[in-house]
Amino acid sequence: MQKEESYWEHISIRRVSAGDEDFLFQLMNDPAILASLHEVPTQKRDWAEAISAWQEDADEAGYLVLRDNVPIGWFAVNGLLAGDGTAFLKMAVLLPAWQNRGIGRSVLGYILDELRKQGVKEAALYTDQDNIRAQSCYTHCGFRIAETLTERMSDEAVVPRYKMVCSL
């Protein structure tokens, strides 16, 4: 019996930087991701402009998730300079082929540790009420449901959502 490959030996995380726009464009225009996040298609230039703005904004941090130096996901936080000590996980997405392997949970744990080191006291996020797999990941990382709401998304869908919070 052959031992299952360890994905962790091949996963790395680094900050988003110039040149990552090709991957972010691909990721955020994947039809499955567009549908699950209720997003609308974007242009590659949108991502180059966003990366440039993020690099100048100390309130934001973006992380690329790589397997053997090939990007497979993107996580991002904002509110790093918020006076109330709460940062928001604004994006947590892996390519569909890499979902449901525990990678997201590991990356989120890393990001929460980074936030703690920066003195952030609480992390918050919004997720769709029907996104049970993501909620399981978030709960495992210490998040709890703090609020139930309805939100109009980028694709104009009106979606029941949860605000989840985690004390750091």
Side-chain angles (χ1 to χ4, degrees), residues 78-125:
N78 63 13
L80 298 174
L81 302 177
D84 66 358
T86 300
F88 279 86
L89 181 68
K90 71 176 191 174
M91 186 58 60
V93 62
L94 294 168
L95 286 169
W98 295 101
Q99 296 174 5
N100 301 312
R101 299 178 188 219
I103 297 168
R105 186 175 7 180
S106 179
V107 172
L108 185 53
Y110 170 84
I111 291 170
L112 294 174
D113 284 343
E114 290 294 305
L115 293 174
R116 268 186 214 98
K117 290 175 189 174
Q118 294 173 32
V120 173
K121 301 296 181 210
E122 181 178 76
L125 59 85

Side-chain angles (χ1 to χ4, degrees), residues 24-100:
L24 293 176
F25 171 74
Q26 171 202 351
L27 177 72
M28 296 307 291
N29 283 284
D30 180 286
I33 291 172
L34 284 172
S36 71
L37 296 177
H38 300 284
E39 288 289 342
V40 295
T42 56
Q43 302 296 315
K44 195 180 297 186
R45 73 176 176 277
D46 298 330
W47 293 103
E49 292 169 4
I51 290 169
S52 178
W54 297 334
Q55 289 178 324
E56 296 178 18
D57 187 354
D59 195 52
E60 302 222 13
Y63 301 89
L64 223 55
V65 182
L66 304 106
R67 182 168 193 275
D68 293 329
N69 295 316
V70 175
I72 63 168
W74 170 49
F75 285 59
V77 294
N78 63 13
L80 298 174
L81 302 177
D84 66 358
T86 300
F88 279 86
L89 181 68
K90 71 176 191 174
M91 186 58 60
V93 62
L94 294 168
L95 286 169
W98 295 101
Q99 296 174 5
N100 301 312

Side-chain angles (χ1 to χ4, degrees), residues 9-29:
E9 296 171 9
H10 303 277
I11 300 295
S12 60
I13 303 166
R14 68 165 172 78
R15 294 293 287 264
V16 171
S17 61
D20 291 333
E21 61 270 9
D22 288 338
F23 173 71
L24 293 176
F25 171 74
Q26 171 202 351
L27 177 72
M28 296 307 291
N29 283 284

Side-chain angles (χ1 to χ4, degrees), residues 141-163:
C141 290
F143 285 85
R144 62 175 174 69
I145 296 171
E147 182 181 345
T148 301
L149 62 143
T150 303
E151 188 173 6
R152 182 173 302 278
M153 306 300 286
S154 296
D155 67 356
E156 297 302 318
V158 176
V159 179
R161 304 195 81 203
Y162 292 128
K163 177 181 180 183

